[in-house]
């Protein structure tokens, strides 16, 4: 089978199956493993949009295939592929090593096939990426679906004039072009983010269930998510998705929303094939009061069986949770509080209210039937000291007592790791916000992520905390949090002992790796290899319980019949798209963009 575009997702470190890496807790509070095998949802929206125009697009999660099968032959898989172009995401910076190494392999196997990079980190480092001889294009910005159609049209026609495609960085022989970043759509209603219709269709269309799986364990625990917006109204200092970061990196000066009608349509579609929780990405309240009211009015009419997970960026009053309770029978909440220190929260921009208001928010959610609240604290944020980081656990106890020891609140602590986000205020102005950057270029980050312990992966220190302080404060906080949970019966004794052992062993291996790195370079590889098997045991949930982050799933899928029916419907739509553009073959090639509205025109 020949494709028009094959989208590949790389592991964070390409050769993770061969190297000994103590990733520690850097991925403890995300669904994926330290391999960061979960691909960005933008891959599905690109694939979905292109297939509307009759193209054949396949997603292959190389990272997950490698993780699921230690003997999976990447080169054999890639060599067999026939496609007009390859796309590789570099959205999150921890993929700096894996994505570049994967691109090298692809170009060796397919020297005449163009390779396209995209994502927020690719946008930031586009000039460095295009200097690699095996990368042909970098598609910049936060909304590249329609731009990819323009580029694919050029590749199909054999045209080598690329200067008229907005946001594109390109190389043609010795010539390099940096087209202006002018395409910034103001709304997202004409694309599906994520493209679940594509995902279901592709399984049946391309007869491969494993290639597009989002992350390891998805079949057993199939989370789904919906993006409410691109851009952000908040300006958190350490976030690469903050208002200032979007302005600097993507030229986005206003929020691009998906309408409540589109969100509800997607929720309804997901509920047809899955009973798993649906995560609403970003705080709905960014859209304003009318937006929120319309969303919940429409949601209430669905009588949804799935649980919905909502994010909160700031204080929420009781009326908001009452509105949620009346609209959906099962819901949970996620809050990244970061710190107990009110002044630091205000300075950093996340949950900038008093601790009394934090507790009021939690009690309001619990009062109005919230099933679960995930509360996250962080080590390494601006203005924090080692003592302040550890005092977060005292605040956990304060919250627990003030909320009547309610077991529905789950407490987590994690380091800001491994990297400062490029384009975040802290990355751009480290001296102002108390940071010392240890990594500047893409190559710096590529080398850092391949270091043997997460301590040496860290791309920063702060004026108050060295790398050692960040590591030590993280583990001390984790130990105290583990003790707190046992004291109040939030975990059983076996889980407590398991976490305690992992923390102790992690600290031991941090010291051992430091010792090994002080050896002559010729002796390091052998010594690290001897630690490999033991280290692997610590790279999954090293400082929290493996099930604490999970929401309850009553039944993963509606049933095989409904899943098959949805798949057949999507195959039929794909057939309609093909006929439509076979009958009018030149129409897609005349596709243009209106930069002001972000709409496609034929």
């Amino acid at each position: 089978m020949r494709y028009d575009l094959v989208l590949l997702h790389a592991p964070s470190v390409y050769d993770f199956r061969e190297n000994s890496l103590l990733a520690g807790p850097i991925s403890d509070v995300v669904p994926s493993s330290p391999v960061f095998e979960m691909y960005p949802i933008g891959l599905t929206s690109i694939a979905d949009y292109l297939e509307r125009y009759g193209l054949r697009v396949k997603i292959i999660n190389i990272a997950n295939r490698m993780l699921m099968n230690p003997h999976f032959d990447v080169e054999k898989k890639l060599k067999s592929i026939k496609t007009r172009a390859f796309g590789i995401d570099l959205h999150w910076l921890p993929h700096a090593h894996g994505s570049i190494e994967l691109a090298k392999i692809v170009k060796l196997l397919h020297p005449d096939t163009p390779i396209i990079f995209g994502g927020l980190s690719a946008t930031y480092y586009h000039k460095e990426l295009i200097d690699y001889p095996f990368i042909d294009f970098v598609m910049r910005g936060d909304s590249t679906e329609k731009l990819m159609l323009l580029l694919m049209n050029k590749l199909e026609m054999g045209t080598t004039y690329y200067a008229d495609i907005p946001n594109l960085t390109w190389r043609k022989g010795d010539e390099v072009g940096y087209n202006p970043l002018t395409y910034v759509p103001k709304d997202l209603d004409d694309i599906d983010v994520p493209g679940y219709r594509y995902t279901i269709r592709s399984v049946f269309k391309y007869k491969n269930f494993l290639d597009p799986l989002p992350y390891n364990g998805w079949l057993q625990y199939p989370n789904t998510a919906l993006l409410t917006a691109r851009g952000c109204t908040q300006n958190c200092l350490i976030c690469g998705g903050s208002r200032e970061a979007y302005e600097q990196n993507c030229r986005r000066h206003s929020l691009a929303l998906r309408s409540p009608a589109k969100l509800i349509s997607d929720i309804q579609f997901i509920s047809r094939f899955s009973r798993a929780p649906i995560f609403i990405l970003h705080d709905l309240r960014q859209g304003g009061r009318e937006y929120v009211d319309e969303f919940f009015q429409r949601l209430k009419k669905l009588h949804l069986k799935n649980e919905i997970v909502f994010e909160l960026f700031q204080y929420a009053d009781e009326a908001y949770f009452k509105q949620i309770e009346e609209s959906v029978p099962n819901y949970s909440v996620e809050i990244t509080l970061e710190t107990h220190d009110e002044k630091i929260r205000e300075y950093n921009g996340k949950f900038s209210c008093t601790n009394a208001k934090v507790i009021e928010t939690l009690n309001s959610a619990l009062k109005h039937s919230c099933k679960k609240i995930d509360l996250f604290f962080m080590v390494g944020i601006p203005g924090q000291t080692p003592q302040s980081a550890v005092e977060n656990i005292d605040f956990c106890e304060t919250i627990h007592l003030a909320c009547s020891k309610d077991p529905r609140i789950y407490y987590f602590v994690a380091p800001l790791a491994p990297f400062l986000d490029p384009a975040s205020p802290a990355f751009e102005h480290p001296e102002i916000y108390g940071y010392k950057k240890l990594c500047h270029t893409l190559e710096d980050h590529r080398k850092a992520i391949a270091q043997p312990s997460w301590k040496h992966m860290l791309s920063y220190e702060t004026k108050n905390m060295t790398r050692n302080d960040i590591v030590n404060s993280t583990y001390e906080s984790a130990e105290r949090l583990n003790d707190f949970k046992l004291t109040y019966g939030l975990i059983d004794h076996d889980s407590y002992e398991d976490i305690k052992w992992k923390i102790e062993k992690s600290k031991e291996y941090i010291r051992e790796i430091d010792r090994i790195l002080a050896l002559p370079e010729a002796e390091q590889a052998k010594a690290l290899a001897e630690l490999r098997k033991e280290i692997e045991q610590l790279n999954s949930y090293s400082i929290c319980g493996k099930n604490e982050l999970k929401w309850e799933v009553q039944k993963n899928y509606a049933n095989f019949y409904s899943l098959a029916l949805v798949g057949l419907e999507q195959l039929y739509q794909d057939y309609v798209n093909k006929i439509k553009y076979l009958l009018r073959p030149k129409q897609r090639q005349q596709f243009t963009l209106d930069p002001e509205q972000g709409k496609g025109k034929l």
Side-chain angles (χ1 to χ4, degrees):
M1 182 180 294
R2 182 174 178 83
Y3 306 99
D4 293 288
L5 177 65
V6 173
L7 297 168
L8 305 174
H9 179 66
S12 54
V13 176
Y14 177 72
D15 46 1
F16 71 92
R17 295 183 295 188
E18 300 175 9
N19 285 355
S20 301
L21 302 169
L22 180 60
I26 64 173
S27 66
D28 270 16
V29 293
V30 295
S32 58
S33 73
V35 173
F36 288 94
E37 76 277 9
M38 185 172 68
Y39 54 76
I41 58 178
L43 290 190
T44 63
S45 59
I46 290 170
D48 180 73
Y49 192 79
L50 295 186
E51 290 216 338
R52 289 188 210 173
Y53 288 84
L55 279 74
R56 301 173 70 90
V57 184
K58 183 175 176 61
I59 294 175
I60 305 176
N61 189 344
I62 295 294
N64 195 44
R65 294 302 307 267
M66 294 172 75
L67 195 60
M68 292 176 69
N69 180 5
H71 305 292
F72 177 73
D73 191 330
V74 177
E75 293 191 19
K76 181 180 178 182
K77 177 75 172 180
L78 294 174
K79 190 174 182 179
S80 66
I81 295 172
K82 296 178 180 178
T83 184
R84 195 180 304 280
F86 286 96
I88 298 177
D89 66 272
L90 180 52
H91 188 63
W92 298 296
L93 199 50
H95 291 95
H97 184 280
S99 62
I100 291 170
E101 295 303 311
L102 185 62
K104 285 182 187 176
I105 294 170
V106 171
K107 188 59 83 172
L108 282 172
L109 297 171
H110 301 278
D112 299 322
T113 305
I115 295 177
I116 310 162
F117 266 60
L120 289 182
S121 295
T123 297
Y124 190 88
Y125 285 114
H126 69 106
K127 290 186 177 180
E128 284 191 54
L129 284 170
I130 206 65
D131 283 343
Y132 289 108
F134 42 84
I135 297 175
D136 303 281
F137 302 100
V138 183
M139 191 63 81
R140 290 143 43 218
D142 62 20
S143 302
T144 61
E145 293 85 1
K146 297 176 182 181
L147 303 177
M148 285 296 292
L149 181 59
L150 289 176
L151 179 56
M152 293 307 299
N153 288 343
K154 296 264 190 184
L155 296 178
E156 182 179 352
M157 293 185 291
T159 303
T160 58
Y161 179 75
Y162 307 115
D164 58 347
I165 300 179
N167 305 21
L168 183 67
T169 297
W170 50 272
R171 182 159 37 80
K172 184 174 61 177
D174 295 330
E175 184 183 3
V176 175
Y178 309 104
N179 298 351
L181 203 163
T182 56
Y183 175 67
V184 187
K186 296 179 180 179
D187 70 69
L188 305 177
D189 265 10
D190 48 351
I191 57 174
D192 289 340
V193 194
Y196 286 116
R197 290 165 180 83
Y198 161 82
T199 305
I200 296 296
R201 181 172 67 246
S202 69
V203 170
F204 292 87
K205 180 177 179 180
Y206 301 126
K207 301 178 179 65
N208 191 308
F209 197 61
L210 296 178
D211 283 346
L213 287 178
Y215 55 85
N216 194 24
W218 189 86
L219 292 174
Q220 294 74 36
Y221 193 71
N223 281 340
T224 53
L226 289 178
L227 188 71
T228 58
R230 283 175 173 155
C232 192
T233 59
Q234 311 296 298
N235 199 39
C236 302
L237 300 181
I238 56 175
C239 182
S242 65
R243 183 180 69 247
E244 189 175 310
Y246 266 103
E247 289 176 354
Q248 193 262 338
N249 199 28
C250 300
R251 304 294 184 265
R252 175 168 294 289
H253 303 292
S254 61
L255 206 63
L257 287 162
R258 300 191 77 226
S259 69
K262 284 292 292 183
L263 290 174
I264 296 303
S265 173
D266 284 349
I267 289 172
Q268 191 170 25
F269 179 78
I270 291 169
S271 70
R272 291 183 59 198
F273 68 84
S274 172
R275 292 289 180 262
I278 302 171
F279 195 154
I280 306 297
L281 297 169
H282 303 317
D283 194 322
L284 278 171
R285 296 173 297 168
Q286 289 191 117
R289 169 51 61 187
E290 291 183 4
Y291 183 91
V292 170
D293 289 345
E294 182 184 348
F295 175 83
F296 285 120
Q297 287 167 9
R298 290 175 177 273
L299 181 63
K300 188 175 183 179
K301 295 176 183 178
L302 289 186
H303 303 289
L304 192 68
K305 294 180 180 179
N306 302 64
E307 181 179 355
I308 301 287
V309 183
F310 296 95
E311 277 193 280
L312 295 183
F313 290 167
Q314 300 291 351
Y315 161 79
D317 60 18
E318 188 172 339
Y320 185 61
F321 295 108
K322 188 173 185 293
Q323 190 173 25
I324 298 175
E325 181 184 39
E326 292 173 349
S327 304
V328 62
N330 299 306
Y331 77 95
S332 293
V333 168
E334 283 212 346
I335 299 173
T336 303
L337 196 61
E338 293 181 350
T339 175
H340 72 285
D341 191 311
E342 296 171 354
K343 292 181 179 178
I344 294 178
R345 284 206 306 271
E346 183 177 7
Y347 182 63
N348 191 36
K350 182 69 69 69
F351 245 83
S352 52
C353 63
T354 65
N355 287 339
K357 286 290 187 182
V358 171
I359 292 170
E360 182 184 325
T361 298
L362 299 173
N363 273 320
S364 295
L366 296 170
K367 177 182 177 181
H368 289 284
S369 309
C370 183
K371 289 182 63 178
K372 185 174 186 280
I373 301 174
D374 289 336
L375 195 58
F376 299 93
F377 293 89
M378 192 169 287
V379 178
I381 61 177
Q384 192 178 58
T385 64
Q387 181 181 350
S388 176
V390 174
E391 287 173 352
N392 283 332
I393 312 309
D394 297 331
F395 188 49
C396 291
E397 185 171 29
T398 300
I399 290 172
H400 195 61
L401 295 175
C403 294
S404 305
K405 302 180 183 179
D406 199 303
R408 288 176 288 171
I409 304 179
Y410 289 70
Y411 305 87
F412 302 91
V413 63
L416 173 59
F419 303 145
L420 276 179
D421 284 354
S424 68
F427 188 92
E428 296 304 306
H429 311 288
E431 65 290 340
I432 294 176
Y433 299 114
Y435 280 91
K436 175 186 177 182
K437 282 201 302 188
L438 304 175
C439 295
H440 301 266
T441 66
L442 180 62
E443 185 64 16
D444 290 342
H445 291 91
R446 190 188 73 82
K447 291 177 180 177
I449 196 64
Q451 291 298 307
S453 82
W454 72 274
K455 169 185 167 181
H456 297 280
M457 295 177 197
L458 288 174
S459 69
Y460 70 94
E461 293 182 335
T462 76
K463 67 178 181 180
N464 298 313
M465 300 177 78
T466 64
R467 276 174 164 173
N468 277 325
D469 291 332
I470 293 166
V471 170
N472 293 336
S473 297
T474 297
Y475 285 129
E476 185 178 351
S477 298
E479 287 173 326
R480 293 188 61 183
L481 184 60
N482 198 35
D483 291 340
F484 155 74
K485 289 178 180 178
L486 181 67
T487 299
Y488 288 99
L490 299 178
I491 55 174
D492 59 37
H493 196 267
D494 287 345
S495 297
Y496 169 81
E497 290 294 340
D498 180 56
I499 295 169
K500 182 180 179 181
W501 177 85
K502 286 181 176 179
I503 294 171
E504 290 172 351
K505 294 298 288 186
S506 295
K507 292 194 296 183
E508 178 185 324
Y509 286 130
I510 287 282
R511 291 191 294 269
E512 179 62 11
I513 289 171
D514 282 351
R515 185 192 68 79
I516 290 172
L517 292 179
L519 296 173
E521 191 171 342
E523 300 176 27
Q524 292 178 16
K526 181 181 178 182
L528 288 171
E530 292 174 357
L531 288 179
R532 182 183 171 197
K533 287 188 177 180
E534 296 176 67
I535 285 176
E536 286 177 353
Q537 297 177 38
L538 300 176
N539 277 343
S540 179
Y541 301 99
S542 62
I543 61 173
C544 68
K546 65 179 180 179
N547 293 316
E548 289 186 82
L549 268 173
K550 294 181 179 179
W551 302 286
E552 184 179 357
V553 180
Q554 296 289 348
K555 187 178 180 183
N556 286 356
Y557 307 101
N559 55 56
F560 179 77
Y561 172 77
S562 59
L563 184 63
L565 182 61
V566 171
L568 288 172
E569 288 175 358
Q570 295 308 308
L571 282 176
Y572 173 74
Q573 185 59 52
D574 183 65
Y575 174 77
V576 171
N577 289 341
K578 282 185 179 180
I579 295 298
K580 182 178 178 181
Y581 292 103
L582 282 173
L583 293 174
R584 293 177 288 175
K586 292 185 179 180
Q587 190 175 39
R588 172 163 53 82
Q589 295 171 0
Q590 296 169 355
F591 181 89
T592 60
L593 288 177
D594 178 348
E596 289 298 316
Q597 299 299 321
K599 303 294 185 183
K601 292 184 177 181
L602 290 169

